[in-house]
Amino acid sequence: MRLSRYFLPVLKENPAEAQIVSHRLMLRAGMIKQSAAGIYSWLPLGLKVLKNIETIVHEEQAKAGHWAMLMPTIQSADLWRESGRYDDYGEEMLRIKDRHGRDMLFTPTAEELITDIFRGHVTSYKDMPLTMYQIQWKFRDERRPRFGVMRGREFYMKDGYNFDLTKEDALHAYNRHLVSYLRTYERMGLQAIPMRADSGPIGGDDTHEFLVLAETGESEVFYDSAVTDLTFGDRDINYDDKAQCQSIMEEFTTKYARTDETHDEALFAEVPQERRKVARGIEVGQIFYFGTKYSDAMGATVQDAEGKQVPVHMGSHGIGVSRLVGAIIEASHDDKGIIWPEGVTPFHCGIVNLKQGDAEADAACEDLYSHLTKAGLEPLYDDRNERAGGKFATMDLIGLPWRLTVGPRGLKNGVVELTCRKTGESEELTPEAAIAKVIAQYM
């Protein structure tokens, strides 16, 4: 992509309405534009990051054996009355009527709808276990939407639902999701800590939230600092191996880590004092096991091996895809702008031409652009007729992990400059060596 042809409406000044770093930088970098309170248009740069995060989620769900689907954003209120949640959910639910006066709602979550799909098509234990998920827009009418995409009213979310014959099988699904989520977040350059949490309106006894530590987090969290030493790494996972998934679940949840709703001061006091930490966290996902709450209420039963009709055990599992964009920025930025991890960056590197119109510099930039594109990468070439300082400021603001700087002086010595956005370190390399180094970061 050439910046002269790209829609990137960057702002030089901090927007007055933006209270936290991610909101401020997303507006300044031309990623989003507010349409109404808590509702945003996703502009080209923001959409690229959103889709990169979505792709990682899909890939890790597929590895775990979960099936993608898509449900509507508008649901009938009748299903929610059947489960008993229509009146209980509160004012966050956007209730509407169609032209025939029927009660409808804009989906805040989809337990009822997926249960209705399951009970209409699955009648035997032989068709289980089954886990399906979607990535779809949701709406919750927050009283005070704020912090940009971190606490908006409309949001993009992965929500998945498992159906199992027994509690044991359903708890394996719970563990399987925990493992797949750890892999998902690490691929995005995040350390998301699973913390014992409150189930809220979803219901159920077993639930963990995944939180990214950040000063601007909406939740107060209490944890043993030893949990921050845990990394998932490049493990070979067999998601059908109950013992392996249980072992990883215990590894990442045994040490104390809780949100303020479930904090237990007596248990926290058992953590060595030097490891007791209190901080703020951003919720980026949550998993639930809620047993037969919905299957009992909505008649979602199957015939077991003995011919008896039994209610299925269920759980739900969410990842805040749009919220993750803000969370990543909160966790990875400096005073110049965003610092994208390689896994989610909108472009793999930037190319800055210091003297647009100079035949040699133009040709060198075109050659870099061509070689990187042929290697399967997507560079952003700043080919505008702008000052070098302005080009550097734009690249720092939008946060691409690597920048190639090309100018007549360097080319006389046969080199270009390669800069790492995260460390700020630069080195002069031949164009061939610079291309090879950038490619190596992504292969």
Side-chain angles (χ1 to χ4, degrees):
M1 178 56 64
R2 299 167 192 271
L3 197 48
S4 62
R5 302 176 189 173
Y6 196 57
F7 183 66
L8 188 67
V10 299
L11 304 175
K12 293 183 179 180
E13 303 297 329
N14 288 326
E17 70 272 22
Q19 297 175 292
I20 63 172
V21 169
S22 59
H23 190 194
R24 185 161 62 245
L25 290 178
M26 289 182 75
L27 290 170
R28 285 196 57 209
M31 296 178 66
I32 56 172
K33 186 180 188 304
Q34 182 170 302
S35 171
I39 302 174
Y40 293 88
S41 296
W42 288 76
L43 306 183
L45 191 74
L47 183 63
K48 283 181 71 66
V49 178
L50 189 71
K51 290 300 180 181
N52 288 344
I53 291 172
E54 180 180 0
T55 296
I56 292 174
V57 173
H58 276 304
E59 289 174 353
E60 293 303 326
Q61 288 298 296
K63 290 175 185 176
H66 307 156
W67 299 102
M69 62 177 299
L70 190 64
M71 291 179 277
T73 58
I74 304 298
Q75 297 185 32
S76 167
D78 292 342
L79 287 174
W80 285 68
R81 290 193 175 104
E82 196 174 343
S83 72
R85 282 207 302 173
Y86 185 70
D87 295 320
D88 293 344
Y89 204 89
E91 293 184 353
E92 284 188 356
M93 181 190 290
L94 182 61
R95 295 166 171 84
I96 54 182
K97 288 183 182 290
D98 66 12
R99 66 170 62 200
H100 302 291
R102 291 178 293 225
D103 290 325
M104 312 291 284
L105 58 97
F106 196 116
T107 301
T109 182
E111 282 81 6
E112 284 81 2
L113 191 55
I114 193 70
T115 303
D116 183 54
I117 292 170
F118 177 88
R119 70 183 178 182
H121 297 281
V122 181
T123 58
S124 170
Y125 75 98
K126 296 178 181 179
D127 296 321
M128 298 169 67
L130 180 63
T131 296
M132 295 184 287
Y133 77 95
Q134 65 171 348
I135 299 179
Q136 175 64 293
W137 291 101
K138 307 287 191 302
F139 189 92
R140 293 176 189 167
D141 201 2
E142 296 276 357
R143 183 184 299 274
R144 287 184 59 236
R146 58 195 186 280
F147 304 152
V149 301
M150 297 289 289
R151 200 161 187 82
R153 293 193 293 166
E154 185 183 56
F155 53 96
Y156 204 44
M157 179 180 172
K158 175 263 169 180
D159 51 315
Y161 308 90
N162 67 283
F163 298 87
D164 290 275
L165 186 63
T166 66
K167 180 177 181 179
E168 179 186 1
D169 291 339
L171 290 177
H172 172 56
Y174 187 95
N175 296 343
R176 192 173 66 237
H177 279 85
L178 184 139
V179 173
S180 69
Y181 279 21
L182 291 171
R183 287 174 58 119
T184 298
Y185 295 126
E186 281 201 9
R187 283 188 60 187
M188 297 175 189
L190 289 173
Q191 183 179 46
I193 303 170
M195 297 191 178
R196 179 66 65 179
D198 180 66
S199 62
I202 303 296
D205 298 324
D206 291 273
T207 180
H208 280 85
E209 286 180 356
F210 292 79
L211 289 106
V212 174
L213 300 178
E215 292 181 1
T216 51
E218 71 276 1
S219 300
E220 187 174 34
V221 296
F222 303 80
Y223 64 98
D224 180 339
S225 63
V227 302
T228 60
D229 297 328
L230 298 173
T231 57
F232 194 83
D234 191 22
R235 308 188 193 196
D236 186 19
I237 301 298
N238 177 2
Y239 282 104
D240 292 327
D241 188 333
K242 292 184 178 182
Q244 185 185 27
C245 291
Q246 176 68 24
S247 175
I248 295 172
M249 190 270 190
E250 291 173 356
E251 176 187 351
F252 281 84
T253 62
T254 298
K255 293 180 173 61
Y256 192 92
R258 297 194 178 202
T259 60
D260 49 2
E261 293 99 335
T262 60
H263 176 55
D264 186 319
E265 197 62 47
L267 287 176
F268 193 47
E270 296 177 9
V271 177
Q273 186 171 2
E274 68 275 10
R275 297 196 337 233
R276 278 181 236 153
K277 302 294 180 182
V278 181
R280 308 295 298 181
I282 299 169
E283 181 199 341
V284 292
Q286 190 164 4
I287 57 177
F288 303 85
Y289 162 69
F290 40 69
T292 60
K293 173 181 176 178
Y294 294 93
S295 52
D296 281 335
M298 300 182 68
T301 63
V302 295
Q303 190 176 67
D304 67 11
E306 297 176 355
K308 299 178 181 178
Q309 289 292 322
V310 296
V312 297
H313 288 255
M314 293 176 58
S316 67
H317 322 89
I319 290 180
V321 176
S322 55
R323 169 177 277 227
L324 272 165
V325 181
I328 291 169
I329 294 172
E330 291 292 332
S332 186
H333 68 273
D334 60 17
D335 57 357
K336 295 179 181 179
I338 302 164
I339 305 173
W340 290 118
E342 275 94 349
V344 300
T345 181
F347 295 95
H348 296 104
C349 75
I351 301 172
V352 172
N353 189 340
L354 294 180
K355 195 170 184 181
Q356 196 71 38
D358 177 87
E360 190 177 5
D362 289 355
C365 288
E366 292 290 347
D367 192 57
L368 290 170
Y369 185 86
S370 176
H371 277 86
L372 290 168
T373 302
K374 288 178 181 177
L377 300 185
E378 193 173 4
L380 178 64
Y381 174 22
D382 192 343
D383 60 341
R384 300 172 301 163
N385 189 22
E386 296 282 346
R387 294 181 301 104
K391 291 187 175 186
F392 289 145
T394 296
M395 285 293 174
D396 285 340
L397 174 62
I398 65 176
L400 307 186
W402 298 93
R403 186 186 75 220
L404 288 163
T405 305
V406 180
R409 184 179 301 174
L411 290 174
K412 286 181 181 179
N413 298 320
V415 297
V416 296
E417 184 181 72
L418 178 63
T419 303
C420 174
R421 177 68 180 88
K422 185 174 183 179
T423 66
E425 296 177 356
S426 297
E427 58 182 325
E428 291 187 337
L429 300 168
T430 64
E432 295 77 15
I435 290 169
K437 186 162 184 176
V438 172
I439 292 172
Q441 305 302 316
Y442 297 97
M443 300 301 176

